[in-house]
Amino acid sequence: ARMVRFLRERRLEQNTIFVFMTDNGTSSGAQVFNAGMRGQKGSPYEGGHRVPFFIHWPGGGVTGGRDIGTLTAHVDVLPTFLDLCGLQRPAGPPLHGKSLRPLLDGKSADWPDRALVTDSQRLEKLVPWKHAAVMTRQWRLVSPTMDGTPSRLELYDIRTDPGQKQDVAAQNPQVVASLKAKYEAWWKEVSRRGDDYVRIVVGHEKANSVRLCSHDWHGAGSEAAWNQRQIRQGPAANGFWAVDVARAGQYRIELRRWPVEADTPINAPYRDAQPNRETQPGQAIAAAKARLKIGALDQDCPVKETDKAAVFTVRLPAGPAELQTWFYGPEGTERGAYYVYVERVKG
């Protein structure tokens, strides 16, 4: 509502494409209203990935009061916006989705059925058929396993069984085989670079100062501190960042236990000025030494009780590298710096 008021006050509402949606199915599942759908966040069943998508654009003739029940997905958003805005598609690999403009314009009589895939990984190494679903107008082929075992595929007729209570895979082997083949063709295409790191660029002239967070660690496994609650607990976990140094030069690299906004020493606890039910006190750690390793460079420095950051000034070559940090405690414990700030200071 605040965004809508802002657009109206600035007289931007008529020619702004306004979208409201969520990023996954409900995180509480059947504990809240879930429209009879099975599953919750992370699940391959409808309740784990079906979301609202409200779109409003008065100047383009897209107004409220109408439901569109056609199966669509996230891959359709980019081609839709390109179409609505009259933009040329940028160069690159093929787009998997299609423009939804015919649906928005009410010209969907010839809209063809198609197979769409949802696939939840969150793994260092990709696994086919892990928490996956192949969706068509009528069917949902579901792989509910964590280990990606395609022999345990389930099939649901979403038209007659929207709650996905009756597995009809045994009665429809041809449908299972057809949708299974569509998934495997999709997987072959999208997994070609599945083992490549999506590297974080540092030292680029357009974004010279970069903050790295433990959420993006590689190699930390299930112990990674990937949210604020875990970081506040100060776990003895570590991993490395896959980075790409855009420009050779001299870099200032700060290792921090707390983000710079907290303005708190590495070894001090953190207390919120206005705590709420989502926050908990930040636990103190005991760090006596900090270490930075990136490429062939490996340096360490002492940590004083008043230090808010361990600062390294190093010269880096351009190119891909793995960056890892350590805080060593006097009792032998070690953990990574949850926040690292990288800035190119000289050529």
Side-chain angles (χ1 to χ4, degrees):
R2 291 196 298 270
M3 176 61 76
V4 172
R5 286 198 298 270
F6 171 86
L7 294 174
R8 287 176 181 169
E9 290 169 359
R10 303 301 193 281
R11 298 183 179 179
L12 299 170
E13 183 184 22
Q14 287 296 310
N15 204 31
T16 296
I17 299 176
F18 182 89
V19 171
F20 172 84
M21 61 179 300
T22 63
D23 68 338
N24 49 253
T26 172
S27 60
S28 300
Q31 299 173 40
V32 298
F33 175 72
N34 205 19
M37 293 186 294
R38 180 177 175 179
Q40 61 189 73
K41 178 180 178 179
S43 164
Y45 300 105
E46 293 290 283
H49 55 78
R50 187 172 176 176
V51 297
F53 187 96
F54 298 97
I55 183 168
H56 186 241
W57 183 27
V62 182
T63 54
R66 185 162 57 94
D67 288 337
I68 298 173
T70 306
L71 176 66
T72 60
H74 58 292
V75 291
D76 300 324
V77 175
L78 175 57
T80 299
F81 286 168
L82 290 175
D83 192 359
L84 294 178
C85 297
L87 300 176
Q88 184 175 357
R89 179 196 178 285
L95 299 180
H96 290 189
K98 59 186 298 185
S99 172
L100 303 179
R101 187 164 196 168
L103 299 179
L104 300 176
D105 291 343
K107 302 174 182 178
S108 57
D110 297 327
W111 188 268
D113 196 10
R114 56 180 174 155
L116 294 171
V117 174
T118 178
D119 183 272
S120 179
Q121 294 289 322
R122 305 189 71 153
L123 296 173
E124 190 78 30
K125 297 293 184 181
L126 301 182
V127 176
W129 291 109
K130 177 186 171 293
H131 277 185
V134 186
M135 305 170 288
T136 68
R137 192 173 293 164
Q138 180 177 2
W139 302 105
R140 298 292 188 270
L141 184 68
V142 175
S143 173
T145 61
M146 291 290 289
D147 60 357
T149 306
S151 60
R152 293 180 55 190
L153 297 177
E154 303 168 0
L155 182 69
Y156 299 94
D157 186 335
I158 207 69
R159 288 179 171 178
T160 60
D161 181 22
Q164 296 176 290
K165 298 177 181 179
Q166 184 65 41
D167 178 9
V168 294
Q171 297 93 313
N172 298 274
Q174 291 182 330
V175 175
V176 172
S178 174
L179 296 181
K180 184 172 181 286
K182 291 182 183 300
Y183 176 90
E184 290 174 347
W186 172 87
W187 178 264
K188 183 178 180 180
E189 182 178 358
V190 302
S191 63
R192 288 173 184 165
R193 298 183 61 187
D195 292 333
D196 294 354
Y197 289 128
V198 179
R199 294 185 177 272
I200 301 172
V201 178
V202 298
H204 194 281
E205 60 182 1
K206 298 293 186 181
N208 185 43
S209 180
V210 173
R211 180 183 66 183
L212 306 175
C213 178
S214 56
H215 189 195
D216 293 313
W217 275 345
H218 291 278
S222 60
E223 296 180 352
W226 64 272
N227 63 37
Q228 291 296 327
R229 184 169 297 176
Q230 291 172 336
I231 289 174
R232 285 167 180 260
Q233 294 168 354
N238 203 351
F240 67 88
W241 288 278
V243 300
D244 186 6
V245 181
R247 298 177 294 167
Q250 187 170 309
Y251 283 76
R252 174 187 171 92
I253 302 179
E254 295 185 3
L255 280 54
R256 291 178 175 265
R257 188 265 188 270
W258 302 110
V260 67
E261 295 86 354
D263 194 32
T264 301
I266 293 170
N267 288 325
Y270 179 76
R271 296 288 187 270
D272 293 274
Q274 296 180 320
N276 59 62
R277 65 183 181 87
E278 292 296 332
T279 62
Q280 60 186 37
Q283 302 299 312
I285 65 170
K289 183 176 73 172
R291 176 185 170 196
L292 167 70
K293 187 176 188 300
I294 176 169
L297 184 145
D298 194 339
Q299 294 185 5
D300 60 66
C301 70
V303 175
K304 301 175 184 178
E305 284 301 308
T306 57
D307 287 345
K308 297 176 182 178
V311 181
F312 295 84
T313 302
V314 297
R315 188 154 196 89
L316 300 179
E322 277 67 64
L323 187 159
Q324 190 163 4
T325 64
W326 290 262
F327 282 135
Y328 293 101
E331 71 285 2
T333 61
E334 60 180 75
R335 52 177 55 80
Y338 308 127
Y339 298 92
V340 172
Y341 295 79
V342 183
E343 183 177 8
R344 185 176 184 269
V345 293
K346 189 183 298 184

